[in-house]
Amino acid sequence: MFSAEPPKTMHNLPTQENDKRVFINDADWDKIAVYLVGNQQRFRENIIIPRMIGPIQIKTNEEKMIERIMESCAFKSVMSCVLGFGLGAAIGLFTSSVNPNVVSVEKQQTVREIFKDMKMTTLSYAKNFAAVGCVFSAIECSIESYRGKTDWRNGTYAGGLTGGLIGLRAGIKAGLVGAAGFAAFSTAIDYYMHRS
């Protein structure tokens, strides 16, 4: 009725299969370990991506590299510097055209002098806006990378540091007022942008 042959378990398999153990001597546990830890090859054709509105494509390595570059702090700082320069130039040009710098009432200004004054005002505004944009963006990106969160606090902290650095040129009191004002302004802008 009973056979003398022992039941076939993982321990009693031929030695050829026992030689394939990778992690543990016990073959059952080894199979589990290989399944959990081992290199499970999955081919791209077998990936199932749920479709929502349009077709979804897997990003190539080049797209991922460009995305990493565009999300880096250096790129964000340079872009903020360039955009700040452009915005400052526009505001400086508008300001100099609305409120020209009149040297004296007796002397008639020439067109050359007016254009020279407009150029100086425009460049001054452009440089200031570029510097503020670059510093603010670099500090905010660094804080966001350090904290690992994207919320309103990043802008507030960055605004406080930027305002403090700008105001510190005029003294400690001006630095504290600048930090508080810039932090409040950054928080208000951030709140408005996330609410709308």
Side-chain angles (χ1 to χ4, degrees), residues 134-150:
C134 183
V135 169
F136 179 82
S137 181
I139 292 174
E140 184 185 28
C141 186
S142 300
I143 290 172
E144 186 176 326
S145 299
Y146 177 76
R147 290 184 69 225
K149 292 181 184 177
T150 303

Side-chain angles (χ1 to χ4, degrees), residues 22-147:
V22 180
F23 297 109
I24 306 170
N25 289 335
D26 185 18
D28 292 330
W29 287 105
D30 188 60
K31 276 183 90 173
I32 294 171
V34 167
Y35 179 75
L36 294 175
V37 180
N39 183 14
Q40 305 290 324
Q41 292 186 350
R42 292 181 176 88
F43 298 102
R44 290 177 74 126
E45 293 82 58
N46 296 341
I47 296 176
I48 298 172
I49 299 174
R51 293 187 177 230
M52 300 189 49
I53 296 171
I56 299 173
Q57 295 180 352
I58 299 172
K59 293 179 183 174
T60 63
N61 290 335
E62 290 81 15
E63 289 173 331
K64 290 177 187 176
M65 183 183 68
I66 290 177
E67 201 172 84
R68 275 195 306 271
I69 291 171
M70 292 183 76
E71 289 177 1
S72 68
C73 290
F75 183 81
K76 287 180 180 179
S77 299
V78 170
M79 282 304 296
S80 294
C81 184
V82 170
L83 293 174
F85 188 88
L87 179 66
I91 291 174
L93 185 63
F94 176 74
T95 304
S96 64
S97 64
V98 170
N99 189 15
N101 187 11
V102 179
V103 179
S104 64
V105 180
E106 301 165 359
K107 184 184 172 189
Q108 186 76 18
Q109 276 188 317
T110 64
V111 175
R112 177 177 280 177
E113 289 175 350
I114 293 173
F115 279 142
K116 187 176 180 182
D117 181 53
M118 287 176 74
K119 178 184 173 186
M120 286 174 43
T121 307
T122 302
L123 281 176
S124 173
Y125 272 81
K127 288 177 185 176
N128 288 337
F129 271 73
V132 169
C134 183
V135 169
F136 179 82
S137 181
I139 292 174
E140 184 185 28
C141 186
S142 300
I143 290 172
E144 186 176 326
S145 299
Y146 177 76
R147 290 184 69 225

